[in-house]
Amino acid sequence: MSNSDRHDYTGKVAVITGAASGIGRSLALQLAERGAALALSDIDEMHLKETAELCRTTYGATVTAAVLDVADRSAFQDYADGVRSESGHVDMVFNNAGVALGVDVVDMTWEDFDWLMGINFGGVVNGSKAFLPHLIASGDGHLVNTSSVFGLIGIPSQSAYNAAKFGVRGFTEALRQEMKISRYPVTVTCVHPGGVKTNIVNNARGVSAMGADTATVASLFDRIARSTPDKAAATILKGMDKKKARVLIGADARGFDFVARVIGPRYQDIAAPLTRAGYAVARRQGILK
């Protein structure tokens, strides 16, 4: 995207969760470059501070950074009210924080399920609810919620992640319509990233229950992930500027979307035997036990 295509966000206040690394950090830097003031949060304090300092020193951005567990509803509400009070207004909210859990339902613990749902789905709902009044009051608000390609198609071993990301998609698509029906000045966008080179696999739960080594799976994911966080962030901002309902990131995301639209639920009967064969290959190569 050329500089002439970029929107200038000078005077705008952008809120980003999961800003310590990955897409969240890239969003922060690109928004700072375009003049936005930033309210950043993450549960990873050390890397959150790094992001904030990069935005300040590289682009001279006004930045506040707060440690936040997005699954904590009351804490999120207090955070939203604090950002609004300190900044005077809130123009953009990116509910980006997320975690991963890879395990079959039969082996999944309730603790891990609740952990993932609290962050990946609850965090998006909490952030949307807490900031929505402030976005409406801004007169030109943007709410951007991160789903996934796994919010388009179900994947074995990803049941909890699928549930959360399908939930984000449904919640966000319904909310977009509500804003239009009530004629509130808020654009709502749902983002579906494909494979993006982030640390999400390194921090995932459940990998050992699948008989795999986290480092090995993370290395494999990094090799097959086609998009960078910078590219993902640029695509998100371009979609937000165009007020798109849905933003797909990467060729794999477009492929998943095509399968969901064209093949429909029949993909499950095709994917299951292919996945079984893939597991067999992974066992032979020592990726799975």
Side-chain angles (χ1 to χ4, degrees):
M1 183 166 45
S2 67
N3 289 336
S4 61
D5 295 328
R6 296 185 179 188
H7 285 218
D8 183 6
Y9 301 136
T10 301
K12 301 291 186 179
V13 176
V15 175
I16 307 170
T17 68
S21 62
I23 296 174
R25 174 175 285 188
S26 291
L27 279 169
L29 287 165
Q30 292 183 31
L31 286 160
E33 182 183 12
R34 302 192 208 178
L38 304 174
L40 309 179
S41 66
D42 203 294
I43 202 166
D44 179 352
E45 183 175 14
M46 182 179 72
H47 293 104
L48 176 64
K49 287 180 177 179
E50 287 180 1
T51 300
E53 190 60 23
L54 281 170
C55 292
R56 293 189 189 103
T57 57
T58 307
Y59 299 112
T62 299
V63 185
T64 60
V67 176
L68 176 68
D69 178 0
V70 297
D72 186 332
R73 183 168 295 160
S74 61
F76 213 143
Q77 185 64 60
D78 291 343
Y79 172 69
D81 294 342
V83 171
R84 171 65 172 80
S85 177
E86 183 172 344
S87 302
H89 58 98
V90 176
D91 305 284
M92 295 170 276
V93 174
F94 299 83
N95 285 311
N96 167 76
V99 292
L101 170 64
V103 64
D104 287 354
V105 174
V106 69
D107 298 315
M108 181 172 60
T109 67
W110 285 117
E111 179 186 2
D112 284 348
F113 177 81
D114 291 341
W115 167 75
L116 182 136
M117 292 298 292
I119 296 169
N120 287 13
F121 181 63
V124 170
V125 175
N126 294 341
S128 299
K129 278 283 288 176
F131 277 105
L132 200 55
H134 306 318
L135 291 173
I136 292 171
S138 76
D140 183 26
H142 297 269
L143 176 65
V144 181
N145 291 337
T146 301
S147 177
S148 167
V149 292
F150 291 1
L152 301 171
I153 285 180
I155 300 294
S157 82
Q158 297 296 314
S159 56
Y161 195 83
N162 282 137
K165 295 304 186 178
F166 269 85
V168 168
R169 173 187 167 189
F171 176 85
T172 305
E173 290 181 0
L175 179 56
R176 180 181 173 93
Q177 294 172 71
E178 292 170 8
M179 295 296 98
K180 287 181 173 293
I181 290 167
S182 299
R183 295 183 177 176
Y184 286 130
V186 179
T187 298
V188 180
T189 299
C190 192
V191 178
H192 296 271
V196 180
K197 296 179 185 295
T198 69
N199 291 323
I200 191 167
V201 176
N202 282 314
N203 299 320
R205 293 187 183 182
V207 177
S208 60
M210 294 288 291
D213 174 68
T214 298
T216 300
V217 174
S219 176
L220 177 63
F221 175 81
D222 194 59
R223 290 200 300 271
I224 64 176
R226 308 310 302 171
S227 298
T228 65
D230 287 346
K231 176 62 176 177
T235 303
I236 290 169
L237 295 181
K238 183 177 180 180
M240 183 190 73
D241 291 342
K242 293 185 175 181
K243 300 186 176 182
K244 286 187 174 182
R246 178 180 293 181
V247 173
L248 302 172
I249 298 176
D252 47 353
R254 293 189 291 275
F256 273 59
D257 184 55
F258 176 82
V259 169
R261 292 174 186 270
V262 176
I263 299 178
R266 291 173 298 166
Y267 78 84
Q268 298 166 64
D269 297 325
I270 299 170
L274 292 176
T275 302
R276 187 186 301 113
Y279 285 169
V281 171
R283 290 188 183 96
R284 287 198 297 271
Q285 294 181 349
I287 297 172
L288 295 177
K289 295 180 181 179

